[in-house]
Amino acid sequence: MAIDYHKLKHWQFPDLEHRYTSKDTILYALGLGCGSDPMDMDDLRYVYEDGLQALPSMAVVLGYPGFWLKDPNTGVDWRKVLHGEQGLVIHKPLPASGTVIGKSRVVEIVDKGPGKGALLFSERDVIDKASGDLLCTLSATTFIRGEGGFGGPATLLGQPLPEPHKLPERAPDATLALPTLPQAALIYRLSGDDNPLHADPRVAAAAGFARPILHGLCSFGVAVRALLRLCCNNDPARLRAVQGRFSAPVFPGETISTEIWREGDGISFRARVVERDAVVLNNGRAEIVSD
């Protein structure tokens, strides 16, 4: 089944109510490796109920509509889908527990041409149910391999496709290496992304991987942890926005080293796996509130 541009562009997502508790907040942080050092007081605030705070990146699992592109009515071959980019704009800090409403939408599907791929741009608002406050806005770019030529637009809402954020051509100003746990993917999937690619060696092998890979959004969260430490004095309220491009998989147990460049009120960053010297998150950009 080929992509039906009109149907996919106007795909209807029901509002998704999501109640989460302090245990969910702690579980998410454990999936990112928080608490690996039991004496680390900086991590303790994310994994201990006394003074518990939510990591800003936990927004990616709140109000999540699931792997909706697997629905055959989308006309998409879900096996050809890759998560290309992820963005997060934080309007208010996430409560450590609460109930939120997720409102998802398709922004555009860009046709790269016959024999090529398609780019699907989507967004999700996460809204606090009790107050009605908009907590954050998530944006994602999904690459659909080989699905071009369906007659969709070649531009993004009439504008050229945005260029990747360019990193400075100098040594980074600071670097922080954070280990991931061998069982990180098995823990992280309990926060809502249960794709068997991250758990079952047989599924991973069929996809061309020697073993299950870490969720891209877990790697994204590890980079956010590093940004909080390097740029925000570990204060979640100071991180206002972050975006990056996924460039290579991470295997659970590998070490993710995040490199940052300070540029005025913004931060450029990328993350690489130390063991293989492979860049896994590239062209990153973050906005920080000054202390």
Side-chain angles (χ1 to χ4, degrees), residues 122-284:
S122 60
E123 291 182 345
R124 179 166 89 249
D125 290 332
V126 177
I127 299 166
D128 181 70
K129 183 182 179 182
S131 66
D133 292 339
L134 177 60
L135 299 176
C136 58
T137 301
L138 296 140
S139 59
T141 305
T142 302
F143 180 53
I144 307 171
R145 295 173 292 171
E147 296 279 2
F150 54 89
T155 61
L156 178 58
L157 302 179
Q159 299 296 320
L161 292 175
E163 294 290 329
H165 174 66
K166 188 175 181 180
L167 300 179
E169 296 181 2
R170 57 182 172 84
D173 296 317
T175 301
L176 179 62
L178 294 172
T180 65
L181 301 171
Q183 63 271 37
L186 296 174
I187 298 172
Y188 186 85
R189 69 194 304 270
L190 298 178
S191 290
D193 188 342
D194 56 2
N195 187 332
L197 176 64
H198 308 293
D200 191 330
R202 296 164 297 182
V203 174
F209 298 106
R211 52 196 172 102
I213 63 174
L214 195 61
H215 304 69
L217 288 176
C218 184
S219 303
F220 180 82
V222 174
V224 168
R225 284 183 59 206
L227 289 169
L228 291 175
R229 289 195 177 218
L230 292 172
C231 310
C232 304
N233 196 28
N234 208 34
D235 180 1
R238 290 184 56 196
L239 183 64
R240 287 297 173 87
V242 58
Q243 62 181 29
R245 172 173 288 201
F246 299 109
S247 52
V250 176
F251 294 104
E254 292 185 319
T255 304
I256 298 176
S257 178
T258 302
E259 306 164 337
I260 65 117
W261 292 262
R262 298 184 176 91
E263 301 181 287
D265 60 351
I267 300 293
S268 293
F269 73 94
R270 71 181 169 211
R272 66 174 69 241
V273 164
V274 173
E275 290 82 355
R276 293 180 284 120
D277 193 27
V279 175
V280 296
L281 189 64
N282 209 354
N283 308 106

